[in-house]
Amino acid sequence: MPDRSSGGVPADGTPGRHGQMGADPRRWKALTVCLIAGFVTWLDISIVNVALPSIRVALDAPPSALQWVVSGYAFAFGLLLVPAGRFGDTHGRRNVFLFGAALFALASAAAGAAPEWSWLITARVVQGAAAGVIAPQVTGLIQQLFQGAERGRAFGLLGATMSISTAVGPLLGGLLIQFSGQREGWRHVLHVSIPISLIAMILAYRYIPGRPGGNRQRESMDPVGVLLLAAGVLLLILPLVEGRAWPGQGKWLLILAGAVVLTGFVGWEHWYGKRHDPIVDLSLFRRGSYALGTLLALLYFGGFTAIFFIITQYLQEGLHYSALRAGWVSAAFALGSALSAALGGRVVVRFGRPLVVFGLVLVTLGLGATEPATRLVSGQNAAWAIAAPLFVAGVGNGLIVSPNQTLTLSAVPVAEAGVAGGMLQMGQRIGASVGIAAVGSAHGIYAASFQQALLVNIMFVLAALAAGVADVFVERRAVRRPG
């Protein structure tokens, strides 16, 4: 069947006549490679959750180390997104993609072979950094190869893939532990990414367009900006992750110090941006939809990513579920996301930001009903009680992730696609690392900790809802404004 799309760009990334882009015949095959990469990098965010009790026993890891296994991955993931996105924009996305996939496979092998918990944390940080190299190439390629309704469909498929991989991760991890043994099964959980990464590399070399033609001047990667951003976010996370291990109240001053460093980071980026290309292009935030969409993503992922962390911990450590049985609970969320994500990508152009707002309302209702549901039934039947509200939250999630990405990046020029997409995903990953650290700081008996952590999740989602509503009003005001 002939392709009727007017979207896409040729393999060299150059525009055609009258500003129209010629469709690359390999774009759907390239998208398949992108979906495989998106699947494996997001899978490793959640698959490790059900392995944490096994890791704790096998490596004698303290609670804070288990949090770093999860949040360290998300932190490094977020930090590398923007510089890697810029590098891919200017030097060609395929080679950067291949490097990231190779590093991801090596780090996965190192993580699965870890003899003690500090080794594991280091490998997970490197693994997250590799994911941060891959992810902006994926969003940049979608911006490069697709336009209009096709771009919405492509982001919809990416959103569905990310949602499903994040939700299916605990189930797959539970299966691996069930069949490999409780003590050593966690190593297979971490090794599962290796063959998927190798397949992605082979297909990427064949189907992803090479470096655009023309000579590109090498640009500064803004090392000061990278260090300031890393230091600021790390200062925010430290007291949350180490809260129980560090006595006294002085540790909370680190959050204030983090805010000061991040303020300095914004000042530095403003000054540096007048002379060079900064890590964060502050001019992008003059586009209201981009600014509010990025804020929405940061806040939502602060709640969304941490959901599986707290639920699997509650079911395994609190109710003594097996890893497999705890993983099954996530299937309801995965099913809801799968049903709505592809649809969200198709209808986002018609409904715009209100679609995202509706999704956030569904997630809020689903999470709000999760904790009361656990009190209506006995502990061993809690999984069945949780499944229904998680399905509702999953449906909402599918209407948020990819539609928000499509709307947020819609006004961004293709030449800036990697950086803009990297900044958006950086917000998501930083939000995720802060959210995981925040819910992990809840303590007490497991039922009480679960209630506290779920409340934190809901607060993040409500804050994202406020950002979405604000964007709807801003957009409607702009439409009414006489031109």
Side-chain angles (χ1 to χ4, degrees), residues 84-291:
R86 182 193 303 158
F87 197 84
D89 285 346
T90 58
H91 295 78
R93 297 185 175 104
R94 183 175 66 186
N95 288 341
V96 181
F97 181 100
L98 289 169
F99 170 78
L103 182 61
F104 193 86
L106 291 172
S108 299
E116 42 90 24
W117 57 263
S118 61
W119 174 305
L120 176 59
I121 292 173
T122 302
R124 286 283 292 174
V125 169
V126 175
Q127 194 181 30
V133 171
I134 297 170
Q137 315 316 319
V138 171
T139 54
L141 282 164
I142 291 176
Q143 290 281 93
Q144 173 185 330
L145 297 172
F146 297 92
Q147 282 187 336
E150 273 199 347
R151 185 181 289 174
R153 286 176 59 195
F155 273 126
L157 291 170
L158 178 62
T161 300
M162 293 189 303
S163 299
I164 292 170
S165 63
T166 304
V168 166
L171 175 58
L172 178 58
L175 284 169
L176 290 170
I177 291 174
Q178 180 77 17
F179 291 105
S180 303
Q182 188 71 22
R183 185 166 184 87
E184 296 297 320
W186 64 272
R187 298 188 185 275
H188 298 286
V189 167
L190 293 167
H191 281 155
V192 75
S193 304
I194 300 173
I196 304 175
S197 301
L198 295 177
I199 291 171
M201 290 174 64
I202 294 170
L203 296 177
Y205 187 80
R206 182 169 184 179
Y207 295 122
I208 290 181
R211 177 178 175 179
N215 294 324
R216 302 288 187 97
Q217 182 178 359
R218 291 186 177 271
E219 301 176 19
S220 167
M221 301 307 290
D222 188 11
V224 174
V226 173
L227 289 174
L228 285 173
L229 178 62
V233 175
L234 189 62
L235 286 169
L236 291 179
I237 295 174
L238 273 174
L240 296 173
V241 175
E242 302 288 350
R244 278 178 278 179
W246 294 352
Q249 301 301 314
K251 57 180 176 284
W252 303 113
L253 293 175
L254 292 177
I255 293 180
L256 177 61
V260 171
V261 172
L262 290 175
T263 302
F265 164 75
V266 172
W268 167 264
E269 294 298 281
H270 180 74
W271 177 85
Y272 190 81
K274 294 177 181 178
R275 297 157 179 80
H276 307 283
D277 289 323
I279 181 178
V280 173
D281 183 359
L282 298 178
S283 67
L284 282 171
F285 292 97
R286 298 192 188 112
R287 298 179 173 93
S289 185
Y290 182 83

Side-chain angles (χ1 to χ4, degrees), residues 255-428:
I255 293 180
L256 177 61
V260 171
V261 172
L262 290 175
T263 302
F265 164 75
V266 172
W268 167 264
E269 294 298 281
H270 180 74
W271 177 85
Y272 190 81
K274 294 177 181 178
R275 297 157 179 80
H276 307 283
D277 289 323
I279 181 178
V280 173
D281 183 359
L282 298 178
S283 67
L284 282 171
F285 292 97
R286 298 192 188 112
R287 298 179 173 93
S289 185
Y290 182 83
L292 287 170
T294 302
L295 176 63
L296 186 154
L298 184 150
L299 294 169
Y300 177 65
F301 275 74
F304 158 63
T305 312
I307 291 170
F308 301 103
F309 178 81
I310 64 166
I311 287 178
T312 54
Q313 290 297 289
Y314 170 62
L315 293 176
Q316 287 181 267
E317 302 282 17
L319 300 182
H320 307 293
Y321 277 35
S322 68
L324 177 59
R325 193 178 178 194
W328 271 111
V329 176
S330 66
F333 190 100
L335 178 61
S337 294
L339 292 175
S340 62
L343 174 64
R346 290 177 178 271
V347 303
V348 61
V349 176
R350 183 189 310 171
F351 294 103
R353 190 69 71 184
L355 179 70
V356 178
V357 170
F358 178 65
L360 287 164
V361 171
L362 288 180
V363 172
T364 303
L365 293 175
L367 294 184
T370 298
E371 192 278 327
T374 63
R375 288 189 276 121
L376 295 177
V377 296
S378 61
Q380 289 304 306
N381 292 320
W384 294 106
I386 291 174
L390 281 184
F391 176 82
V392 174
V395 172
N397 178 73
L399 301 178
I400 297 169
V401 179
S402 60
N404 181 65
Q405 189 155 280
T406 301
L407 294 168
T408 303
L409 298 177
S410 60
V412 175
V414 172
E416 302 175 24
V419 173
M423 288 166 58
L424 174 61
Q425 291 191 66
M426 180 175 67
Q428 294 173 350

